[in-house]
């Protein structure tokens, strides 16, 4: 599966323009879409015959240069290939951020979403009954962990 | 005297266990609906042991980051060290010497043996086979002795370094590996006689706690628990690392021979089969450790990682262990995220 042709097909089928970015110094590319297009893209790469990304290996989030970066590490059990789907959002200061949940596409994402919900203050929609009480988000860069002194 | 149906209540009983309980392997809360001795439904609540590990990394030098890595899973610490080192080495473009790769592989397989033997001992204990449990722990002790001989530690090994390992093979280590492998090979036959061929043991595990292939998919289960349910996924085959591509081994799968596919018996059987595969790998790897350096760089507190990111994959004893490392080129990681089994 060629990621460039996959991105072109995504544009043709759903009119979603995805960007291809390098992942670290590996040969692998990242398929980056807007958060608003995330759910549609996820469902598409799950069902599209040339991709068939049916297994979510990992879902991670990190904050870098005032952006929250969400990475979905996917695997096709049919083709044996991997794909990284990514979306970015600007970090709202001390506020929760809504992001579409992909649990309907990959049910195994739920524990990852639960953790990111609590530690980054992300509200995955639709809400699965997660309780959003916290006002401080430990894994955001603005959070200061008093007991940990930088060496 | 006859009782009416109303007076003979058949409601399920609710049994609440944990979060702290001596029979639980880790802090967790279990809300069990039981019908006599049968568990009809279970609700599991985890997360009572959140260590703040991922935040800890953000305040640590790269070199010091290896220390909390061990705490991810103290029983299988080498796997986390391996995943973290591989991710950092990929970002830094460090080529690990072949000798160091083989030492890592040997330690990984020893750790897999130790974890699987612990599992077997726990299962034996939980079904009332105390003696068998002690036999198995006796053999695990030999593995821990090997760790001590090689690394100086028995659990939190902290032995891998960026670019290799902390020290070269100690005198007598390879010979002891062959000796222990031969011994465990004999003991495995005894375990089979005590457990797999013992109807009293088998009947306590077959048809119990079945994980279907749908469950494997829905919950993202990996490792021996998934393989017991028919999955073939093994990172050592899918993304070979640290010399696994040179090893000849098979990936055992559940067969459902005693009950149904994916039951507790299959999970035990797959682990016993994996122990045998690990013994083959260990013997082969110990024979083929090449001469050369055990590390290609000396890493200290001034070590920094160039800007970049990597997601490394390792097959731990419990399943797929992933590590996503992000660096901005500064003294500490931007993010170290773990995908635990």
């Amino acid at each position: 599966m060629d990621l460039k042709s996959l991105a072109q097909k995504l544009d043709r089928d759903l009119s979603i323009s995805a960007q291809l970015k390098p992942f670290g110094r590996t040969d692998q590319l990242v398929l980056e879409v807007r958060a608003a297009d995330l759910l549609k893209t996820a469902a598409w790469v799950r069902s599209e015959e040339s991709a068939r990304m049916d297994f979510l290996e990992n879902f991670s989030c990190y904050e870098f240069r005032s952006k929250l970066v969400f990475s979905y590490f996917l695997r096709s059990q049919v083709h044996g290939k991997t794909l990284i789907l990514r979306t970015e959002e600007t970090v709202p200061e001390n506020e929760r951020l809504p992001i579409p949940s992909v649990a309907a596409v990959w049910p195994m994402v739920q524990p990852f979403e639960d953790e990111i919900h609590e530690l980054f203050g992300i509200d995955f929609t639709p809400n699965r009954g997660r309780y959003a009480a916290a006002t401080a988000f430990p894994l955001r860069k603005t959070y200061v962990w008093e007991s940990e002194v930088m060496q | 005297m006859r009782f009416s149906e109303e007076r003979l209540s058949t409601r399920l009983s609710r049994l609440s266990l944990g979060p702290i309980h001596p029979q639980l392997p880790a802090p967790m809360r279990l809300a069990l609906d039981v019908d006599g001795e049968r568990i009809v439904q279970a609700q599991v609540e985890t997360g009572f042991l959140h260590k703040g590990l991922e935040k800890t990394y953000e305040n640590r030098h790269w070199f010091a980051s290896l220390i909390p890595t061990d705490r991810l899973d103290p029983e299988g610490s080498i796997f986390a060290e391996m995943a973290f080192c591989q991710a950092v080495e990929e970002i830094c473009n460090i080529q690990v010497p072949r000798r160091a790769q083989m030492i890592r592989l040997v330690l990984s397989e020893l750790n897999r043996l130790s974890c699987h033997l612990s599992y077997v001992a726990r299962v034996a204990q939980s079904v009332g086979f105390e003696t068998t449990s002690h036999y198995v722990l006796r053999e695990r002790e030999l593995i821990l002795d090997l760790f001590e001989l090689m690394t100086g530690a028995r659990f939190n090994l902290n032995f891998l370094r960026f670019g290799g390992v902390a020290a070269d093979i100690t005198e007598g280590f390879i010979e002891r590996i062959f000796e222990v492998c031969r011994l465990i090979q004999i003991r495995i036959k005894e375990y089979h006689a005590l457990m797999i061929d013992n109807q009293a043991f088998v009947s306590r595990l077959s048809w119990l706690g079945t994980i279907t292939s749908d469950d494997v998919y829905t919950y993202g289960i990996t490792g021996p628990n998934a393989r017991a349910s028919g999955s073939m996924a093994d990172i050592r085959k899918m993304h070979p690392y640290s010399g696994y591509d040179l090893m000849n081994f098979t990936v055992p799968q559940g067969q459902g021979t005693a009950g149904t596919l994916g039951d507790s018996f299959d999970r035990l059987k797959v682990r016993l089969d994996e122990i045998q595969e690990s013994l083959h790998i260990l013997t082969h790897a110990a024979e083929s450790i090449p001469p050369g350096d055990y590390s290609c760089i000396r890493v200290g507190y001034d070590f920094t990682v160039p800007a970049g990111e990597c997601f490394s994959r390792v097959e731990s004893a419990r399943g797929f262990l992933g590590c996503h490392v992000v660096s901005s080129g500064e003294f500490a990681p931007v993010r170290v995220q773990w995908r635990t089994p």
Side-chain angles (χ1 to χ4, degrees):
Chain A
M1 179 191 58
D2 176 16
L3 203 55
K4 280 180 189 164
S5 53
L6 192 75
Q8 285 166 357
K9 197 159 193 298
L10 176 68
D11 194 10
R12 272 202 310 275
D13 289 2
L14 300 179
S15 304
I16 292 172
S17 66
Q19 286 183 303
L20 293 178
K21 291 184 176 175
F23 180 69
R25 48 171 291 279
T26 59
D27 296 336
Q28 195 161 16
L29 293 172
V30 173
L31 191 70
E32 189 174 311
V33 294
R34 293 185 309 127
D37 297 329
L38 179 68
L39 191 55
K40 271 192 204 169
T41 311
W44 187 81
V45 295
R46 169 82 172 80
S47 59
E48 164 59 30
E49 196 50 47
S50 60
R52 293 286 294 273
M53 292 295 157
D54 50 359
F55 191 80
L56 183 128
E57 285 188 334
N58 186 31
F59 173 35
S60 91
C61 174
Y62 65 87
E63 184 184 334
F64 188 56
R65 291 182 185 150
S66 306
K67 293 256 184 189
L68 280 171
V69 182
F70 301 88
S71 311
Y72 298 82
F73 296 86
L74 310 171
R75 169 181 298 282
S76 167
Q77 291 175 320
V78 181
H79 303 304
K81 304 275 181 171
T82 57
L83 171 73
I84 303 165
L85 179 63
R86 180 168 279 182
T87 189
E88 287 182 3
E89 280 287 310
T90 308
V91 184
E93 207 167 311
N94 291 327
E95 280 177 33
R96 308 189 74 84
L97 173 71
I99 287 283
S101 167
V102 295
V105 183
W106 299 294
M108 63 289 272
V109 80
Q110 286 181 0
F112 298 105
E113 286 188 349
D114 286 349
E115 196 168 75
I116 289 171
H117 165 80
E118 287 179 11
L119 299 176
F120 279 98
I122 309 298
D123 286 335
F124 290 97
T125 50
N127 192 321
R128 287 197 312 119
R130 295 184 185 99
Y131 184 53
T135 52
F137 314 115
L139 283 180
R140 287 198 192 173
K141 295 295 178 192
T142 45
Y143 185 88
V144 180
W145 194 355
E146 299 291 348
S147 62
E148 284 288 305
V149 181
M150 286 235 188
Q151 300 290 314
Chain B
M1 181 181 168
R2 289 186 62 185
F3 290 96
S4 66
E5 264 187 41
E6 287 77 18
R7 292 184 67 187
L8 283 171
S9 170
T10 55
R11 280 182 307 165
L12 302 175
S13 307
R14 169 61 66 95
L15 184 65
S16 190
L17 275 181
I20 305 295
H21 191 278
Q23 280 296 314
L24 292 173
M28 67 173 81
R29 189 179 154 271
L30 293 175
L32 307 174
D33 290 330
V34 293
D35 179 8
E37 287 196 329
R38 188 164 167 265
I39 298 169
V40 179
Q41 194 177 317
Q43 288 175 349
V44 184
E45 195 182 341
T46 57
F48 294 98
L49 202 61
H50 199 280
K51 300 169 191 165
L53 199 68
E54 292 179 344
K55 188 70 181 175
T56 306
Y57 284 106
E58 294 178 15
N59 299 324
R60 289 274 183 279
H61 285 277
W62 284 98
F63 180 64
S65 298
L66 275 167
I67 298 161
T69 302
D70 268 350
R71 273 67 177 176
L72 187 75
D73 176 8
E75 209 175 49
S77 61
I78 214 78
F79 302 112
E81 288 181 34
M82 178 88 103
F84 186 55
C85 285
Q86 280 184 0
V88 170
E89 285 153 4
E90 172 67 40
I91 299 171
C92 296
N93 197 14
I94 297 171
Q95 297 295 324
V96 181
R98 204 73 200 149
R99 183 175 179 83
Q101 287 189 19
M102 276 296 163
I103 296 173
R104 286 178 176 190
L105 189 149
V106 165
L107 288 172
S108 288
E109 288 310 311
L110 282 173
N111 215 163
R112 194 179 316 281
L113 277 179
S114 147
C115 286
H116 282 1
L117 289 173
S118 297
Y119 179 91
V120 174
R122 278 198 293 268
V123 170
Q125 193 171 32
S126 62
V127 295
F129 280 60
E130 288 277 343
T131 315
T132 310
S133 168
H134 288 293
Y135 285 155
V136 178
L137 287 176
R138 178 187 61 189
E139 265 68 76
R140 193 191 66 148
E141 205 63 17
L142 298 173
I143 310 280
L144 300 185
D145 288 344
L146 277 172
F147 283 144
E148 196 176 350
L149 178 63
M150 179 72 190
T151 71
R154 292 169 78 80
F155 274 99
N156 291 317
L157 304 184
N158 194 17
F159 191 68
L160 267 52
R161 297 287 182 271
F162 306 132
V165 290
D168 205 355
I169 294 168
T170 46
E171 203 181 327
F173 179 68
I174 300 295
E175 291 76 11
R176 284 292 304 279
I177 287 180
F178 292 135
E179 204 177 294
V180 168
C181 283
R182 271 197 302 272
L183 182 71
I184 296 181
Q185 199 80 54
I186 295 164
R187 298 288 193 227
I188 284 282
K189 287 177 190 157
E190 290 178 17
Y191 300 162
H192 272 259
L194 286 165
M195 293 184 274
I196 305 299
D197 303 333
N198 182 348
Q199 194 52 39
F201 189 92
V202 173
S203 62
R204 292 178 198 196
L205 292 177
S206 54
W207 300 98
L208 194 73
T210 305
I211 298 175
T212 62
S213 54
D214 282 348
D215 294 336
V216 168
Y217 175 75
T218 307
Y219 298 110
I221 298 169
T222 57
N225 289 344
R227 291 193 281 274
S229 302
S231 165
M232 279 294 284
D234 189 321
I235 298 297
R236 292 174 296 173
K237 289 279 187 193
M238 286 156 32
H239 296 274
Y241 55 92
S242 200
Y244 275 110
D245 48 334
L246 305 173
M247 300 294 133
N248 185 20
F249 65 100
T250 55
V251 180
Q253 259 184 307
Q255 305 290 334
T257 43
T260 182
L261 183 68
D263 60 7
S264 296
F265 178 80
D266 271 353
R267 290 196 284 280
L268 178 84
K269 179 78 169 47
V270 160
R271 280 179 172 86
L272 283 174
D273 293 345
E274 284 195 3
I275 287 174
Q276 284 192 315
E277 290 302 322
S278 285
L279 292 173
H280 292 313
I281 297 173
L282 258 178
T283 315
H284 185 194
E287 277 168 354
S288 54
I289 293 178
D293 293 332
Y294 61 86
S295 181
C296 62
I297 50 165
R298 283 272 157 219
V299 172
Y301 279 93
D302 55 346
F303 177 75
T304 53
V305 173
E309 63 182 311
C310 180
F311 180 61
S312 68
R313 299 168 176 87
V314 161
E315 184 69 30
S316 80
R318 301 183 207 284
F320 172 25
L321 179 67
C323 182
H324 185 199
V325 177
V326 184
S327 169
S328 61
E330 291 180 15
F331 74 96
V334 170
R335 179 90 166 101
V336 177
Q337 184 255 344
W338 291 99
R339 190 273 188 222
T340 49

